Amino acid sequence: MYTEKVMDHFEHPRNVGELENPSGMGTVGNAKCGDIMRIYLDIDDNQIIRDVKFKTFGCGAAVATSSMATELVKGKSVQEAMEVTNKAVCEALDGLPPVKVHCSLLAEEAIRAALWDYAEKTGAVIQGLKRPKNDISEHEEEEEY
Ligand code: FES
C-alpha cells in the first residue's frame, strides 16, 4: 500500500524536533482528521532556509510527507519553498494512497504558515503566499493566558 520511500521516511523521519528562536513557525490542524503539524524554519539574511524541523501529532503518512517536505525546502530560498506543494511532496515519495493525500496537506500548510510568520516578522515579500487557512498558532497562544 505504501511505497518504499514512504516507508523509509516513516521509519527514519528526517528533521524531527524543534528550533529555538525560529525565524518562522507554523502550526496547522488538518480539517479532515484533526491532526496537528508544527514546522520551524531557520532563515538567513539572504532568505535561504538554513534549517527546518517538524513535530506532528499526525499519522504515518503525515510523518513521511513532512519528513520529505523538510528535506525539499532545506537549502532553498523562501520563494523556492513555495514550490514545495503537497503534490510535489507526494511525487517525491512516489505517491500516496488516495485516502492519505489529505495528510500531505499538513506539511504544505505548516510550511506556508511558518513562511507567513517569517514574512510578518521581517516584512519579507513572498510571491503567492496567503494567510494560512488552518493556522491554529494564534488560537494556541490565546489559550496560554
Ligand atoms: Fe491525520 Fe493522516 S490521518 S494526518
Side-chain angles (χ1 to χ4, degrees), residues 43-50 76-78 118:
I43 299 165
D44 72 11
D45 293 344
N46 296 319
Q47 300 195 343
I48 302 294
I49 298 170
R50 286 283 157 225
K76 298 240 168 82
S77 70
V78 292
Y118 162 75

Short mmCIF file of all heavy atoms in Angstrom, two decimals, residues 43-50 76-78 118:
data_model
loop_
_atom_site.label_atom_id
_atom_site.label_comp_id
_atom_site.label_asym_id
_atom_site.label_seq_id
_atom_site.Cartn_x
_atom_site.Cartn_y
_atom_site.Cartn_z
N ILE A 43 15.90 30.88 8.88
CA ILE A 43 16.11 31.53 7.59
C ILE A 43 17.20 32.60 7.74
O ILE A 43 17.13 33.41 8.68
CB ILE A 43 14.79 32.17 7.10
CG1 ILE A 43 13.73 31.07 6.94
CG2 ILE A 43 14.99 32.93 5.79
CD1 ILE A 43 12.31 31.58 6.81
N ASP A 44 18.18 32.60 6.84
CA ASP A 44 19.29 33.56 7.00
C ASP A 44 18.96 34.90 6.31
O ASP A 44 17.88 35.08 5.76
CB ASP A 44 20.62 32.94 6.51
CG ASP A 44 20.69 32.79 5.00
OD1 ASP A 44 19.81 33.34 4.30
OD2 ASP A 44 21.62 32.12 4.54
N ASP A 45 19.94 35.82 6.34
CA ASP A 45 19.70 37.17 5.81
C ASP A 45 19.47 37.18 4.30
O ASP A 45 18.97 38.15 3.75
CB ASP A 45 20.88 38.09 6.16
CG ASP A 45 20.97 38.33 7.64
OD1 ASP A 45 19.98 38.06 8.34
OD2 ASP A 45 22.04 38.76 8.12
N ASN A 46 19.90 36.13 3.63
CA ASN A 46 19.68 36.03 2.18
C ASN A 46 18.39 35.29 1.84
O ASN A 46 18.19 34.85 0.71
CB ASN A 46 20.86 35.32 1.51
CG ASN A 46 22.14 36.11 1.67
OD1 ASN A 46 22.13 37.34 1.54
ND2 ASN A 46 23.22 35.43 1.98
N GLN A 47 17.55 35.10 2.86
CA GLN A 47 16.25 34.43 2.70
C GLN A 47 16.40 32.97 2.29
O GLN A 47 15.56 32.42 1.58
CB GLN A 47 15.35 35.17 1.72
CG GLN A 47 15.06 36.60 2.16
CD GLN A 47 13.91 37.23 1.40
OE1 GLN A 47 13.51 36.77 0.36
NE2 GLN A 47 13.37 38.29 1.97
N ILE A 48 17.49 32.35 2.72
CA ILE A 48 17.71 30.92 2.46
C ILE A 48 17.34 30.13 3.73
O ILE A 48 17.72 30.53 4.84
CB ILE A 48 19.19 30.63 2.10
CG1 ILE A 48 19.62 31.44 0.88
CG2 ILE A 48 19.43 29.14 1.91
CD1 ILE A 48 18.95 31.07 -0.42
N ILE A 49 16.61 29.05 3.53
CA ILE A 49 16.21 28.22 4.67
C ILE A 49 17.40 27.34 5.06
O ILE A 49 17.76 26.40 4.35
CB ILE A 49 14.97 27.36 4.31
CG1 ILE A 49 13.80 28.28 3.99
CG2 ILE A 49 14.64 26.40 5.45
CD1 ILE A 49 12.60 27.59 3.39
N ARG A 50 18.01 27.71 6.19
CA ARG A 50 19.21 27.02 6.64
C ARG A 50 18.87 25.74 7.38
O ARG A 50 19.59 24.76 7.32
CB ARG A 50 20.03 27.93 7.56
CG ARG A 50 20.75 29.01 6.84
CD ARG A 50 21.99 28.45 6.14
NE ARG A 50 22.36 29.32 5.05
CZ ARG A 50 22.68 28.91 3.83
NH1 ARG A 50 22.66 27.63 3.53
NH2 ARG A 50 23.02 29.75 2.90
N LYS A 76 16.76 25.85 0.29
CA LYS A 76 16.08 26.64 -0.75
C LYS A 76 15.82 28.06 -0.24
O LYS A 76 15.82 28.31 0.97
CB LYS A 76 14.74 25.99 -1.09
CG LYS A 76 14.87 24.58 -1.65
CD LYS A 76 14.28 24.51 -3.04
CE LYS A 76 14.65 23.23 -3.75
NZ LYS A 76 13.79 22.12 -3.38
N SER A 77 15.52 28.95 -1.18
CA SER A 77 15.10 30.29 -0.77
C SER A 77 13.64 30.22 -0.34
O SER A 77 12.93 29.24 -0.67
CB SER A 77 15.24 31.27 -1.94
OG SER A 77 14.26 30.98 -2.92
N VAL A 78 13.19 31.23 0.38
CA VAL A 78 11.80 31.22 0.83
C VAL A 78 10.85 31.20 -0.37
O VAL A 78 9.78 30.59 -0.32
CB VAL A 78 11.48 32.39 1.78
CG1 VAL A 78 12.22 32.22 3.09
CG2 VAL A 78 11.78 33.73 1.14
N TYR A 118 7.27 34.23 9.26
CA TYR A 118 8.55 34.88 8.94
C TYR A 118 8.32 36.19 8.18
O TYR A 118 8.91 37.22 8.51
CB TYR A 118 9.39 33.91 8.09
CG TYR A 118 10.52 34.55 7.34
CD1 TYR A 118 11.69 34.94 7.99
CD2 TYR A 118 10.43 34.75 5.96
CE1 TYR A 118 12.73 35.53 7.29
CE2 TYR A 118 11.47 35.33 5.25
CZ TYR A 118 12.61 35.72 5.93
OH TYR A 118 13.64 36.32 5.23
#
